[in-house]
Amino acid sequence: MTTLPRWGLVILCAAASACGPARDKRGLEYTRDMTYSLAYDSFAPNPVTRDGLTLQRPVRGTIPRGYLPLHYSATIEDAERAGRDLQNPVPRTARSAAEGQALFESHCAVCHGNQGAGDGPLVPKIPNPPAYTSARVQRMPVGRIFHVMTFGSGRMASYASQLAAHDRWLIAAHVQRLQNRAEQP
Ligand code: HEC
């Protein structure tokens, strides 16, 4: 017999014995550690990584997608600085106007009133939200209105956890529209 047919015989025997009638028995596994790789749980300790954690921390300074860091705090100085520095990044379109109005009416109008006159239905409980046409609010640049929603102001709470930054800008533009509308007869 030459080498080739002899190997053929071996393979034939192996194949024949692999598919026997004993179907309830598992076949031989040659690469167990590759078939069943050891996955670490996200929060389990890990002997391989440098800090011993499986789920790695983001690199310092990492910014999540769709999130822009805002370097301001809840102080009057920062409210003024926001007014000086920030421009509304959301382009004004018919759609953004409609969205801003809807968001305003569901989040702000209960106190400020649909027209921003400071006469919403909650006023007996949360007294005297200023009219947007009051001298103080009328002077506020859009960045400051955004700051009020983000950090609150006086008795008004922050809306940063209810409204994403994009939505706060949509509303800020609506507040300005209410102010301009009120100016025209
Ligand atoms: C629960 C009632 C309430 C809701 C809801 C509310 N506000 Fe106010 N808002 C107030 C009150 C009260 C004040 C006055 C705060 C103060 O001067 O102490 C105020 C003040 C303001 C001011 C002027 C801030 C200043 O420094 O003078 C702006 C601008 C404003 N709100 C915008 C908004 C916008 C936009 C929304 C919706 C995201 C909103 N508010 C939702 C009650 C509310």
Side-chain angles (χ1 to χ4, degrees):
M1 247 197 236
T2 58
T3 324
L4 206 62
R6 203 181 299 155
W7 273 112
L9 201 65
V10 170
I11 291 170
L12 202 71
C13 290
S17 66
C19 319
R23 289 213 181 127
D24 50 340
K25 280 203 185 130
R26 296 181 125 223
L28 271 182
E29 286 166 352
Y30 296 105
T31 53
R32 268 192 79 81
D33 51 346
M34 283 172 80
T35 314
Y36 304 99
S37 71
L38 265 188
Y40 292 101
D41 285 336
S42 309
F43 295 101
N46 194 309
V48 180
T49 55
R50 265 184 235 152
D51 56 2
L53 301 173
T54 299
L55 193 66
Q56 294 289 287
R57 290 192 182 85
V59 178
R60 264 176 74 89
T62 303
I63 299 170
R65 271 181 93 113
Y67 172 86
L68 276 182
L70 196 63
H71 301 290
Y72 296 89
S73 59
T75 60
I76 307 269
E77 295 75 46
D78 272 14
E80 283 167 359
R81 192 163 62 86
R84 283 193 303 273
D85 295 352
L86 296 178
Q87 295 297 324
N88 196 336
V90 180
R92 294 186 177 216
T93 59
R95 177 150 175 222
S96 79
E99 285 176 358
Q101 176 171 5
L103 286 165
F104 176 86
E105 286 173 4
S106 58
H107 287 85
C108 320
V110 275
C111 293
H112 287 275
N114 272 348
Q115 303 304 318
D119 57 355
L122 261 190
V123 166
K125 294 216 164 78
I126 319 252
N128 305 329
Y132 290 150
T133 47
S134 65
R136 177 182 160 82
V137 185
Q138 190 77 323
R139 268 201 306 271
M140 287 185 179
V142 72
R144 178 137 189 200
I145 299 174
F146 178 82
H147 187 279
V148 170
M149 279 181 269
T150 308
F151 296 102
S153 176
R155 285 166 297 125
M156 189 185 134
S158 153
Y159 277 75
S161 60
Q162 287 96 316
L163 293 161
H166 178 84
D167 293 348
R168 277 175 266 146
W169 282 118
L170 288 174
I171 295 178
H174 185 70
V175 169
Q176 290 192 310
R177 269 193 302 277
L178 291 177
Q179 292 175 323
N180 294 340
R181 221 177 277 166
E183 263 176 12
Q184 288 149 16

